[in-house]
mmCIF file of all heavy atoms in Angstrom:
data_model
loop_
_atom_site.group_PDB
_atom_site.id
_atom_site.type_symbol
_atom_site.label_atom_id
_atom_site.label_comp_id
_atom_site.label_asym_id
_atom_site.label_seq_id
_atom_site.Cartn_x
_atom_site.Cartn_y
_atom_site.Cartn_z
ATOM 1 N N GLN B 82 21.665 37.677 30.407
ATOM 2 C CA GLN B 82 20.664 38.471 31.094
ATOM 3 C C GLN B 82 19.603 37.544 31.642
ATOM 4 O O GLN B 82 19.604 36.343 31.394
ATOM 5 C CB GLN B 82 20.041 39.506 30.157
ATOM 6 C CG GLN B 82 19.390 38.949 28.912
ATOM 7 C CD GLN B 82 18.821 40.041 28.017
ATOM 8 O OE1 GLN B 82 17.836 40.656 28.345
ATOM 9 N NE2 GLN B 82 19.485 40.272 26.907
ATOM 10 N N ASP B 83 18.692 38.125 32.414
ATOM 11 C CA ASP B 83 17.707 37.343 33.126
ATOM 12 C C ASP B 83 16.362 37.549 32.435
ATOM 13 O O ASP B 83 15.993 38.656 32.053
ATOM 14 C CB ASP B 83 17.773 37.873 34.564
ATOM 15 C CG ASP B 83 16.593 37.565 35.395
ATOM 16 O OD1 ASP B 83 15.524 38.172 35.188
ATOM 17 O OD2 ASP B 83 16.751 36.738 36.292
ATOM 18 N N TRP B 84 15.660 36.440 32.170
ATOM 19 C CA TRP B 84 14.408 36.519 31.413
ATOM 20 C C TRP B 84 13.210 36.209 32.293
ATOM 21 O O TRP B 84 13.022 35.059 32.686
ATOM 22 C CB TRP B 84 14.436 35.520 30.253
ATOM 23 C CG TRP B 84 15.453 35.835 29.207
ATOM 24 C CD1 TRP B 84 16.687 35.270 29.078
ATOM 25 C CD2 TRP B 84 15.332 36.780 28.147
ATOM 26 N NE1 TRP B 84 17.335 35.801 28.000
ATOM 27 C CE2 TRP B 84 16.514 36.732 27.403
ATOM 28 C CE3 TRP B 84 14.325 37.665 27.739
ATOM 29 C CZ2 TRP B 84 16.746 37.522 26.287
ATOM 30 C CZ3 TRP B 84 14.545 38.459 26.628
ATOM 31 C CH2 TRP B 84 15.742 38.384 25.920
ATOM 32 N N PRO B 85 12.413 37.221 32.582
ATOM 33 C CA PRO B 85 11.191 36.952 33.343
ATOM 34 C C PRO B 85 10.173 36.212 32.478
ATOM 35 O O PRO B 85 10.008 36.520 31.297
ATOM 36 C CB PRO B 85 10.684 38.355 33.719
ATOM 37 C CG PRO B 85 11.364 39.287 32.802
ATOM 38 C CD PRO B 85 12.606 38.645 32.302
ATOM 39 N N VAL B 86 9.510 35.227 33.090
ATOM 40 C CA VAL B 86 8.573 34.365 32.357
ATOM 41 C C VAL B 86 7.255 34.270 33.127
ATOM 42 O O VAL B 86 7.262 34.233 34.352
ATOM 43 C CB VAL B 86 9.174 32.944 32.200
ATOM 44 C CG1 VAL B 86 8.166 31.980 31.603
ATOM 45 C CG2 VAL B 86 10.440 32.986 31.369
ATOM 46 N N VAL B 87 6.147 34.273 32.399
ATOM 47 C CA VAL B 87 4.860 33.966 33.038
ATOM 48 C C VAL B 87 4.337 32.647 32.495
ATOM 49 O O VAL B 87 4.491 32.340 31.315
ATOM 50 C CB VAL B 87 3.783 35.042 32.786
ATOM 51 C CG1 VAL B 87 4.123 36.334 33.487
ATOM 52 C CG2 VAL B 87 3.557 35.270 31.306
ATOM 53 N N ILE B 88 3.728 31.860 33.374
ATOM 54 C CA ILE B 88 3.108 30.603 32.971
ATOM 55 C C ILE B 88 1.598 30.743 33.151
ATOM 56 O O ILE B 88 1.138 31.135 34.220
ATOM 57 C CB ILE B 88 3.631 29.421 33.816
ATOM 58 C CG1 ILE B 88 5.156 29.319 33.716
ATOM 59 C CG2 ILE B 88 2.979 28.122 33.378
ATOM 60 C CD1 ILE B 88 5.765 28.228 34.579
ATOM 61 N N VAL B 89 0.866 30.432 32.104
ATOM 62 C CA VAL B 89 -0.598 30.531 32.166
ATOM 63 C C VAL B 89 -1.205 29.136 32.055
ATOM 64 O O VAL B 89 -0.904 28.396 31.114
ATOM 65 C CB VAL B 89 -1.139 31.430 31.040
ATOM 66 C CG1 VAL B 89 -2.671 31.450 31.066
ATOM 67 C CG2 VAL B 89 -0.594 32.840 31.163
ATOM 68 N N GLY B 90 -2.057 28.802 33.017
ATOM 69 C CA GLY B 90 -2.685 27.485 33.042
ATOM 70 C C GLY B 90 -1.949 26.559 33.985
ATOM 71 O O GLY B 90 -1.071 25.797 33.574
ATOM 72 N N ILE B 91 -2.299 26.646 35.270
ATOM 73 C CA ILE B 91 -1.531 25.882 36.269
ATOM 74 C C ILE B 91 -2.285 24.617 36.610
ATOM 75 O O ILE B 91 -2.814 24.447 37.715
ATOM 76 C CB ILE B 91 -1.276 26.752 37.523
ATOM 77 C CG1 ILE B 91 -0.787 28.139 37.119
ATOM 78 C CG2 ILE B 91 -0.239 26.081 38.411
ATOM 79 C CD1 ILE B 91 0.477 28.156 36.273
ATOM 80 N N GLY B 92 -2.381 23.722 35.647
ATOM 81 C CA GLY B 92 -2.988 22.411 35.855
ATOM 82 C C GLY B 92 -1.884 21.394 36.069
ATOM 83 O O GLY B 92 -0.878 21.683 36.714
ATOM 84 N N ASN B 93 -2.050 20.205 35.539
ATOM 85 C CA ASN B 93 -1.030 19.161 35.686
ATOM 86 C C ASN B 93 0.324 19.620 35.179
ATOM 87 O O ASN B 93 1.333 19.580 35.892
ATOM 88 C CB ASN B 93 -1.455 17.929 34.883
ATOM 89 C CG ASN B 93 -2.601 17.197 35.530
ATOM 90 O OD1 ASN B 93 -2.566 16.918 36.719
ATOM 91 N ND2 ASN B 93 -3.632 16.908 34.749
ATOM 92 N N LEU B 94 0.312 20.070 33.929
ATOM 93 C CA LEU B 94 1.577 20.432 33.298
ATOM 94 C C LEU B 94 2.135 21.732 33.887
ATOM 95 O O LEU B 94 3.334 21.838 34.148
ATOM 96 C CB LEU B 94 1.365 20.582 31.790
ATOM 97 C CG LEU B 94 2.620 20.802 30.969
ATOM 98 C CD1 LEU B 94 3.597 19.650 31.170
ATOM 99 C CD2 LEU B 94 2.267 20.943 29.500
ATOM 100 N N GLY B 95 1.272 22.709 34.100
ATOM 101 C CA GLY B 95 1.707 23.982 34.669
ATOM 102 C C GLY B 95 2.405 23.793 36.014
ATOM 103 O O GLY B 95 3.429 24.430 36.288
ATOM 104 N N HIS B 96 1.877 22.907 36.834
ATOM 105 C CA HIS B 96 2.519 22.607 38.115
ATOM 106 C C HIS B 96 3.940 22.089 37.899
ATOM 107 O O HIS B 96 4.884 22.527 38.548
ATOM 108 C CB HIS B 96 1.701 21.557 38.878
ATOM 109 C CG HIS B 96 0.670 22.126 39.795
ATOM 110 N ND1 HIS B 96 -0.593 22.451 39.377
ATOM 111 C CD2 HIS B 96 0.722 22.459 41.108
ATOM 112 C CE1 HIS B 96 -1.285 22.936 40.389
ATOM 113 N NE2 HIS B 96 -0.508 22.956 41.458
ATOM 114 N N ALA B 97 4.062 21.132 36.988
ATOM 115 C CA ALA B 97 5.378 20.545 36.727
ATOM 116 C C ALA B 97 6.354 21.616 36.252
ATOM 117 O O ALA B 97 7.492 21.691 36.722
ATOM 118 C CB ALA B 97 5.269 19.423 35.699
ATOM 119 N N LEU B 98 5.898 22.463 35.347
ATOM 120 C CA LEU B 98 6.761 23.516 34.809
ATOM 121 C C LEU B 98 7.183 24.486 35.910
ATOM 122 O O LEU B 98 8.344 24.894 35.993
ATOM 123 C CB LEU B 98 6.046 24.263 33.685
ATOM 124 C CG LEU B 98 5.724 23.439 32.445
ATOM 125 C CD1 LEU B 98 4.876 24.238 31.464
ATOM 126 C CD2 LEU B 98 7.009 22.966 31.773
ATOM 127 N N ALA B 99 6.223 24.855 36.743
ATOM 128 C CA ALA B 99 6.519 25.799 37.828
ATOM 129 C C ALA B 99 7.566 25.238 38.781
ATOM 130 O O ALA B 99 8.406 25.958 39.301
ATOM 131 C CB ALA B 99 5.239 26.145 38.578
ATOM 132 N N ASN B 100 7.520 23.924 38.967
ATOM 133 C CA ASN B 100 8.448 23.281 39.896
ATOM 134 C C ASN B 100 9.786 22.930 39.268
ATOM 135 O O ASN B 100 10.689 22.457 39.950
ATOM 136 C CB ASN B 100 7.814 21.993 40.444
ATOM 137 C CG ASN B 100 6.857 22.260 41.573
ATOM 138 O OD1 ASN B 100 7.196 22.942 42.531
ATOM 139 N ND2 ASN B 100 5.641 21.734 41.456
ATOM 140 N N TYR B 101 9.902 23.130 37.977
ATOM 141 C CA TYR B 101 11.104 22.689 37.275
ATOM 142 C C TYR B 101 12.273 23.632 37.539
ATOM 143 O O TYR B 101 12.201 24.820 37.241
ATOM 144 C CB TYR B 101 10.821 22.610 35.779
ATOM 145 C CG TYR B 101 11.963 22.053 34.983
ATOM 146 C CD1 TYR B 101 12.702 20.981 35.441
ATOM 147 C CD2 TYR B 101 12.299 22.607 33.759
ATOM 148 C CE1 TYR B 101 13.745 20.468 34.704
ATOM 149 C CE2 TYR B 101 13.338 22.093 33.006
ATOM 150 C CZ TYR B 101 14.056 21.023 33.488
ATOM 151 O OH TYR B 101 15.084 20.521 32.747
ATOM 152 N N SER B 102 13.321 23.076 38.074
ATOM 153 C CA SER B 102 14.479 23.896 38.420
ATOM 154 C C SER B 102 15.348 24.195 37.201
ATOM 155 O O SER B 102 16.145 25.120 37.202
ATOM 156 C CB SER B 102 15.315 23.189 39.487
ATOM 157 O OG SER B 102 15.735 21.932 38.994
ATOM 158 N N GLY B 103 15.208 23.406 36.165
ATOM 159 C CA GLY B 103 16.043 23.574 34.979
ATOM 160 C C GLY B 103 15.815 24.898 34.273
ATOM 161 O O GLY B 103 16.651 25.339 33.488
ATOM 162 N N PHE B 104 14.701 25.547 34.533
ATOM 163 C CA PHE B 104 14.450 26.840 33.919
ATOM 164 C C PHE B 104 15.220 27.942 34.640
ATOM 165 O O PHE B 104 16.012 28.673 34.046
ATOM 166 C CB PHE B 104 12.954 27.165 33.938
ATOM 167 C CG PHE B 104 12.157 26.305 33.016
ATOM 168 C CD1 PHE B 104 10.803 26.126 33.214
ATOM 169 C CD2 PHE B 104 12.766 25.667 31.936
ATOM 170 C CE1 PHE B 104 10.066 25.317 32.353
ATOM 171 C CE2 PHE B 104 12.031 24.864 31.082
ATOM 172 C CZ PHE B 104 10.681 24.694 31.305
ATOM 173 N N SER B 105 14.972 28.024 35.955
ATOM 174 C CA SER B 105 15.584 29.102 36.730
ATOM 175 C C SER B 105 17.103 29.028 36.693
ATOM 176 O O SER B 105 17.785 30.050 36.686
ATOM 177 C CB SER B 105 15.096 29.056 38.175
ATOM 178 O OG SER B 105 15.188 27.740 38.655
ATOM 179 N N SER B 106 17.640 27.826 36.598
ATOM 180 C CA SER B 106 19.096 27.691 36.614
ATOM 181 C C SER B 106 19.729 28.238 35.335
ATOM 182 O O SER B 106 20.932 28.385 35.246
ATOM 183 C CB SER B 106 19.484 26.220 36.793
ATOM 184 O OG SER B 106 19.214 25.498 35.607
ATOM 185 N N ARG B 107 18.905 28.536 34.337
ATOM 186 C CA ARG B 107 19.453 29.044 33.082
ATOM 187 C C ARG B 107 19.043 30.478 32.810
ATOM 188 O O ARG B 107 19.014 30.927 31.670
ATOM 189 C CB ARG B 107 19.015 28.159 31.929
ATOM 190 C CG ARG B 107 19.686 26.802 31.976
ATOM 191 C CD ARG B 107 19.693 26.142 30.668
ATOM 192 N NE ARG B 107 20.379 24.861 30.677
ATOM 193 C CZ ARG B 107 20.352 23.952 31.621
ATOM 194 N NH1 ARG B 107 19.685 24.195 32.719
ATOM 195 N NH2 ARG B 107 20.998 22.824 31.494
ATOM 196 N N GLY B 108 18.687 31.194 33.850
ATOM 197 C CA GLY B 108 18.382 32.605 33.662
ATOM 198 C C GLY B 108 16.921 32.894 33.393
ATOM 199 O O GLY B 108 16.537 34.038 33.184
ATOM 200 N N PHE B 109 16.091 31.853 33.403
ATOM 201 C CA PHE B 109 14.664 32.071 33.217
ATOM 202 C C PHE B 109 14.001 32.113 34.593
ATOM 203 O O PHE B 109 14.096 31.167 35.357
ATOM 204 C CB PHE B 109 14.054 30.981 32.342
ATOM 205 C CG PHE B 109 14.635 30.947 30.960
ATOM 206 C CD1 PHE B 109 15.631 30.048 30.628
ATOM 207 C CD2 PHE B 109 14.214 31.841 29.995
ATOM 208 C CE1 PHE B 109 16.192 30.029 29.370
ATOM 209 C CE2 PHE B 109 14.761 31.835 28.728
ATOM 210 C CZ PHE B 109 15.764 30.934 28.417
ATOM 211 N N ARG B 110 13.364 33.241 34.893
ATOM 212 C CA ARG B 110 12.783 33.434 36.214
ATOM 213 C C ARG B 110 11.270 33.505 36.084
ATOM 214 O O ARG B 110 10.738 34.401 35.440
ATOM 215 C CB ARG B 110 13.332 34.734 36.819
ATOM 216 C CG ARG B 110 13.014 34.950 38.272
ATOM 217 C CD ARG B 110 13.909 36.054 38.845
ATOM 218 N NE ARG B 110 14.051 37.170 37.904
ATOM 219 C CZ ARG B 110 13.208 38.200 37.853
ATOM 220 N NH1 ARG B 110 12.199 38.267 38.677
ATOM 221 N NH2 ARG B 110 13.388 39.169 36.982
ATOM 222 N N THR B 111 10.597 32.551 36.676
ATOM 223 C CA THR B 111 9.136 32.575 36.651
ATOM 224 C C THR B 111 8.657 33.651 37.612
ATOM 225 O O THR B 111 8.871 33.554 38.817
ATOM 226 C CB THR B 111 8.560 31.206 37.066
ATOM 227 O OG1 THR B 111 9.141 30.197 36.250
ATOM 228 C CG2 THR B 111 7.058 31.189 36.893
ATOM 229 N N VAL B 112 8.020 34.679 37.052
ATOM 230 C CA VAL B 112 7.580 35.791 37.904
ATOM 231 C C VAL B 112 6.109 35.683 38.266
ATOM 232 O O VAL B 112 5.660 36.331 39.214
ATOM 233 C CB VAL B 112 7.823 37.165 37.235
ATOM 234 C CG1 VAL B 112 9.306 37.385 37.039
ATOM 235 C CG2 VAL B 112 7.085 37.282 35.914
ATOM 236 N N ALA B 113 5.342 34.879 37.517
ATOM 237 C CA ALA B 113 3.928 34.754 37.871
ATOM 238 C C ALA B 113 3.315 33.488 37.298
ATOM 239 O O ALA B 113 3.686 33.029 36.216
ATOM 240 C CB ALA B 113 3.149 35.973 37.378
ATOM 241 N N LEU B 114 2.373 32.929 38.068
ATOM 242 C CA LEU B 114 1.583 31.784 37.626
ATOM 243 C C LEU B 114 0.135 32.251 37.540
ATOM 244 O O LEU B 114 -0.436 32.704 38.536
ATOM 245 C CB LEU B 114 1.690 30.641 38.644
ATOM 246 C CG LEU B 114 3.118 30.225 39.026
ATOM 247 C CD1 LEU B 114 3.085 29.156 40.113
ATOM 248 C CD2 LEU B 114 3.872 29.724 37.811
ATOM 249 N N LEU B 115 -0.451 32.142 36.357
ATOM 250 C CA LEU B 115 -1.805 32.659 36.163
ATOM 251 C C LEU B 115 -2.765 31.540 35.782
ATOM 252 O O LEU B 115 -2.398 30.593 35.076
ATOM 253 C CB LEU B 115 -1.799 33.719 35.055
ATOM 254 C CG LEU B 115 -0.820 34.876 35.229
ATOM 255 C CD1 LEU B 115 -0.958 35.854 34.071
ATOM 256 C CD2 LEU B 115 -1.068 35.585 36.550
ATOM 257 N N ASP B 116 -4.002 31.685 36.267
ATOM 258 C CA ASP B 116 -5.030 30.704 35.917
ATOM 259 C C ASP B 116 -6.388 31.390 35.951
ATOM 260 O O ASP B 116 -6.600 32.323 36.716
ATOM 261 C CB ASP B 116 -5.000 29.519 36.887
ATOM 262 C CG ASP B 116 -5.616 28.270 36.279
ATOM 263 O OD1 ASP B 116 -6.821 28.287 35.979
ATOM 264 O OD2 ASP B 116 -4.878 27.279 36.085
ATOM 265 N N ALA B 117 -7.279 30.920 35.085
ATOM 266 C CA ALA B 117 -8.619 31.521 35.019
ATOM 267 C C ALA B 117 -9.533 30.968 36.119
ATOM 268 O O ALA B 117 -10.521 31.606 36.496
ATOM 269 C CB ALA B 117 -9.233 31.256 33.652
ATOM 270 N N ASP B 118 -9.188 29.824 36.645
ATOM 271 C CA ASP B 118 -10.013 29.168 37.660
ATOM 272 C C ASP B 118 -9.868 29.890 39.005
ATOM 273 O O ASP B 118 -8.830 29.805 39.668
ATOM 274 C CB ASP B 118 -9.570 27.709 37.781
ATOM 275 C CG ASP B 118 -10.463 26.914 38.721
ATOM 276 O OD1 ASP B 118 -11.278 27.535 39.438
ATOM 277 O OD2 ASP B 118 -10.339 25.684 38.740
ATOM 278 N N THR B 119 -10.944 30.564 39.418
ATOM 279 C CA THR B 119 -10.864 31.388 40.643
ATOM 280 C C THR B 119 -10.608 30.540 41.886
ATOM 281 O O THR B 119 -10.005 31.012 42.852
ATOM 282 C CB THR B 119 -12.178 32.179 40.850
ATOM 283 O OG1 THR B 119 -13.268 31.265 40.823
ATOM 284 C CG2 THR B 119 -12.368 33.229 39.768
ATOM 285 N N SER B 120 -11.042 29.287 41.851
ATOM 286 C CA SER B 120 -10.874 28.459 43.047
ATOM 287 C C SER B 120 -9.410 28.123 43.304
ATOM 288 O O SER B 120 -9.048 27.657 44.386
ATOM 289 C CB SER B 120 -11.704 27.176 42.914
ATOM 290 O OG SER B 120 -11.119 26.337 41.936
ATOM 291 N N ARG B 121 -8.562 28.335 42.320
ATOM 292 C CA ARG B 121 -7.133 28.028 42.501
ATOM 293 C C ARG B 121 -6.337 29.253 42.942
ATOM 294 O O ARG B 121 -5.168 29.126 43.346
ATOM 295 C CB ARG B 121 -6.544 27.524 41.182
ATOM 296 C CG ARG B 121 -7.163 26.241 40.693
ATOM 297 C CD ARG B 121 -6.275 25.644 39.613
ATOM 298 N NE ARG B 121 -5.533 24.518 40.141
ATOM 299 C CZ ARG B 121 -5.697 23.260 39.707
ATOM 300 N NH1 ARG B 121 -6.547 22.998 38.758
ATOM 301 N NH2 ARG B 121 -4.996 22.284 40.225
ATOM 302 N N HIS B 122 -6.936 30.415 42.830
ATOM 303 C CA HIS B 122 -6.179 31.634 43.135
ATOM 304 C C HIS B 122 -5.696 31.634 44.574
ATOM 305 O O HIS B 122 -6.436 31.274 45.488
ATOM 306 C CB HIS B 122 -7.050 32.874 42.868
ATOM 307 C CG HIS B 122 -7.407 33.026 41.419
ATOM 308 N ND1 HIS B 122 -8.475 33.782 40.994
ATOM 309 C CD2 HIS B 122 -6.848 32.501 40.305
ATOM 310 C CE1 HIS B 122 -8.555 33.712 39.673
ATOM 311 N NE2 HIS B 122 -7.574 32.938 39.234
#
Side-chain angles (χ1 to χ4, degrees):
Chain B
Q82 58 181 289
D83 161 287
W84 294 99
V86 173
V87 292
I88 303 177
V89 176
I91 313 303
N93 288 311
L94 187 58
H96 269 87
L98 296 174
N100 279 309
Y101 185 41
S102 59
F104 290 158
S105 48
S106 72
R107 290 202 178 39
F109 298 98
R110 190 165 41 88
T111 306
V112 296
L114 308 176
L115 306 181
D116 203 296
D118 185 349
T119 54
S120 71
R121 297 195 104 115
H122 295 160

